[in-house]
Amino acid sequence: GENVEQHPSTLSVQEGDSAVIKCTYSDSASNYFPWYKQELGKRPQLIIDIRSNVGEKKDQRIAVTLNKTAKHFSLHITETQPEDSAVYFCAELYGGSQGNLIFGKGTKLSVKP
Amino acid sequence: GAVVSQHPSRVICKSGTSVKIECRSLDFQATTMFWYRQFPKQSLMLMATSNEGSKATYEQGVEKDKFLINHASLTLSTLTVTSAHPEDSSFYICSAWGQGGHGGNTIYFGEGSWLTVV
């Protein structure tokens, strides 16, 4: 079946440093890749997404890059802050434009002040 | 943006009883809703796709007779956990596609429901 691999599972950085999380997907037909931030006990919050017609998208301190040939996409957070600490999930849209999301296993990011 | 509301946010039930969780799209119609389950420190796993006016589509390994899904209207889908057992304790969360802020569609999540079976 469809699968999204996410690495690393945990990531600890010093405040102000950058954090990079990588995901690999299997379905070459996929064209939508969102990233979610989830705090304990709460719903996932969409932080950025990218569609297959672009290779990079940036929103302030957050950026996502997509390499369709290699079938991987990455989340980049610059100038990390303690409030960035959370679990981050990548996802792949499966089943067309109204399909379901397949999630990676998540990355627990800890930003140390 | 669109809002998906889920209720209850927390529920504790006794083993062997049934629990119903509601998922509502508040300001848009959702012909399809998705139900996910998330165990502690794990990812979201799709349980089933709820289709308005027809039977839900269940993922492999999810018992359709245990997790009853009803999508009777374009704004409401319900998940009923029947004969709940402690191993069913989990975070259940629904989602639906709605209009995004930039004109395209975005998937919206409900607040989630914590189920504890004692």
Side-chain angles (χ1 to χ4, degrees), chain A residues 93-101, chain B residues 4 23-25 28-36 46 48-57 59 69-78 94-98 105-109:
Chain A
L93 176 61
Y94 178 73
S97 61
Q98 299 281 304
N100 63 275
L101 295 176
Chain B
V4 174
C23 179
R24 295 180 184 273
S25 56
F28 67 102
Q29 294 181 334
T31 55
T32 301
M33 291 184 175
F34 303 98
W35 285 96
Y36 291 86
L46 181 68
T49 302
S50 172
N51 304 299
E52 187 271 334
S54 64
K55 292 182 179 180
T57 305
E59 295 300 298
I69 290 173
N70 184 285
H71 195 153
S73 78
L74 289 170
T75 59
L76 174 63
S77 175
T78 61
C94 66
S95 68
W97 285 98
N105 286 337
T106 299
I107 200 157
Y108 293 91
F109 285 91

Side-chain angles (χ1 to χ4, degrees), chain A residues 17-31:
Chain A
D17 288 349
S18 296
V20 180
I21 303 171
K22 299 181 179 181
C23 286
T24 304
Y25 61 98
S26 58
D27 185 3
S28 56
S30 294
N31 59 10

Side-chain angles (χ1 to χ4, degrees), chain A residues 31-56:
Chain A
N31 59 10
Y32 177 65
F33 307 92
W35 283 91
Y36 290 89
K37 176 183 180 183
Q38 188 180 32
E39 297 177 355
L40 188 63
K42 296 186 177 180
R43 75 180 105 189
Q45 296 282 349
L46 178 69
I47 56 171
I48 197 167
D49 56 12
I50 191 167
R51 299 181 190 275
S52 60
N53 56 344
V54 297
E56 184 175 0

